[in-house]
Amino acid sequence: MTARRTHLVARLSIAVLLAASATTGAVTLSSAAPSREEVEQARARLDSLNRELDLMVEQYNQARIKLQEVQARLADVRAQAQRAQATADRAINSLNANAARAYRGVGSQIAELFESASLADFSDRLEFIGSMAQADSDLAVEAESAQQEARWTAAELKATAEERQGIVDALAAKQDQIESRVAEARDLYEELDRKYHEALAAQAAAQEAAGTVVVGSPIPPPPAPNANVAAVLQAAYSVIGTPYQYGGSSPETGFDCSGFTMWAWSHAGVYLPHSSAAQYASLPHVAQSDLQPGDLVFFYSPISHVGIYVGGGSMIHSPQTGSVVSVVPIYWDSFVGAARPG
């Protein structure tokens, strides 16, 4: 059985063992325990659902990042459009004021020309009037240029606003898809969880009858190569058992996979984007042979899942709907790379 499959049915493994042991005649278990075939079928369906959800949630998170970028650009374009329109308005107002003054003073300007005391005086006054006309011409060009810029930025503003609305609509549609898959996965998980607890009760009864007791051991804290990683792992281990929630990035809301790694590494003062693919793209990569506790490990192609390596071939992560933050063996069969924040 692969590491991925082992992970998906970790809580059902006892039920599988019970179903197998029942055939040996050692103990008679409750008929409520699921058969091996039931577990295999449910595992295959749950694996398919969770793979679909991994991709959907990754697309959802990337769309949210894109929305943030577009909203920032929308604010910049809106400010640029306002500045361009204000410049155009000032130029037009100045041009209109000059035109009004020129209209009222055309007679006096001609009179001043003919009252010149000399030819040189006449030439100076004519040059002055010409310079004023040139200034008005320049102002007219400035006004037209500013108006054109205002029209361009208004068009860009409209296009950016439409792009934002398109992303918002796509997010809403993706959210509906995710909610539908989440509901299906949750129903399947709860059915298997019920069977698991029935099998667990049967196992406890069988162990009691046989006079054996199985005691679980706590997860040991992993070693950390430096203080930053120690802070990250301490934070990550402190929320073991927190439920998975797509789009979540805090203990209060729950976590999806990249929300969990983002939150854990924030305790070392490192910002990560809320997307497994974006985290992989933005960080320096490390070879599998060089993995250290605290490194991020990534899975599937395209990348749609991430966890934090804790040493010993294990990772801590927020897996999928119906599960919780937990420490599990790394999915080596789906591993695509690793990266080191900090």
Side-chain angles (χ1 to χ4, degrees):
M1 185 181 295
T2 66
R4 171 62 170 166
R5 288 189 171 184
T6 301
H7 162 68
L8 288 172
V9 291
R11 299 189 64 190
L12 297 174
S13 57
I14 293 177
V16 176
L17 293 174
L18 289 175
S21 65
T23 64
T24 67
V27 291
T28 301
L29 300 176
S30 167
S31 61
S35 68
R36 182 185 298 275
E37 182 180 2
E38 287 177 318
V39 172
E40 290 290 340
Q41 290 174 348
R43 178 179 62 200
R45 180 56 186 150
L46 191 58
D47 182 60
S48 176
L49 281 172
N50 285 324
R51 185 73 183 97
E52 291 175 19
L53 276 168
D54 279 344
L55 289 171
M56 287 182 180
V57 171
E58 177 61 18
Q59 292 165 356
Y60 177 83
N61 287 335
Q62 289 182 353
R64 290 204 306 177
I65 292 174
K66 180 66 174 177
L67 180 60
Q68 292 172 350
E69 294 171 352
V70 170
Q71 288 183 156
R73 190 167 79 248
L74 185 63
D76 290 341
V77 173
R78 182 177 288 113
Q80 184 181 356
Q82 291 171 346
R83 288 194 299 269
Q85 188 59 55
T87 300
D89 291 344
R90 285 194 300 271
I92 291 170
N93 290 337
S94 296
L95 190 60
N96 288 340
N98 288 355
R101 284 195 298 271
Y103 177 78
R104 291 193 300 269
V106 66
S108 62
Q109 289 176 358
I110 294 174
E112 287 180 4
L113 281 174
F114 287 103
E115 290 173 359
S116 302
S118 65
L119 182 59
D121 188 25
F122 178 87
S123 178
D124 289 343
R125 295 188 184 193
L126 186 60
E127 182 179 353
F128 175 72
I129 293 172
S131 67
M132 292 183 63
Q134 182 60 50
D136 283 348
S137 176
D138 293 343
L139 191 58
V141 171
E142 179 186 352
E144 178 57 32
S145 176
Q147 281 186 307
Q148 182 61 58
E149 183 180 359
R151 286 191 290 269
W152 285 337
T153 53
E156 185 179 359
L157 181 62
K158 181 175 181 293
T160 306
E162 290 174 350
E163 182 182 2
R164 177 193 177 279
Q165 188 58 51
I167 295 174
V168 169
D169 293 342
L171 275 171
K174 184 63 66 178
Q175 189 169 5
D176 289 342
Q177 287 182 317
I178 291 173
E179 292 289 358
S180 175
R181 293 295 194 284
V182 164
E184 187 177 355
R186 182 181 293 115
D187 289 345
L188 179 57
Y189 179 87
E190 288 176 353
E191 178 186 355
L192 294 178
D193 193 55
R194 174 182 57 79
K195 289 182 178 180
Y196 162 76
H197 281 94
E198 290 171 351
L200 194 63
Q203 184 199 38
Q207 288 174 348
E208 184 177 354
T212 60
V213 178
V214 177
V215 179
S217 59
I219 301 172
N226 57 57
N228 279 350
V229 172
V232 170
L233 295 180
Q234 182 178 2
Y237 270 63
S238 73
V239 292
I240 285 178
T242 300
Y244 176 93
Q245 175 59 51
Y246 79 89
S249 58
S250 75
E252 292 74 27
T253 62
F255 298 100
D256 62 18
C257 65
S258 56
F260 171 67
T261 54
M262 179 178 75
W263 178 85
W265 265 99
S266 71
H267 288 75
V270 176
Y271 168 78
L272 298 175
H274 194 164
S275 158
S276 55
Q279 288 178 8
Y280 187 71
S282 64
L283 294 171
H285 298 171
V286 295
Q288 179 178 336
S289 59
D290 292 332
L291 277 174
Q292 296 179 4
D295 290 346
L296 301 185
V297 283
F298 298 87
F299 306 92
Y300 310 118
S301 181
I303 289 172
S304 56
H305 191 67
V306 59
I308 301 174
Y309 183 64
V310 298
S314 294
M315 67 178 177
I316 183 169
H317 70 154
S318 184
Q320 71 272 320
T321 296
S323 62
V324 298
V325 173
S326 53
V327 176
V328 298
I330 289 180
Y331 308 160
W332 291 121
D333 58 333
S334 302
F335 176 81
V336 296
R340 183 166 297 158

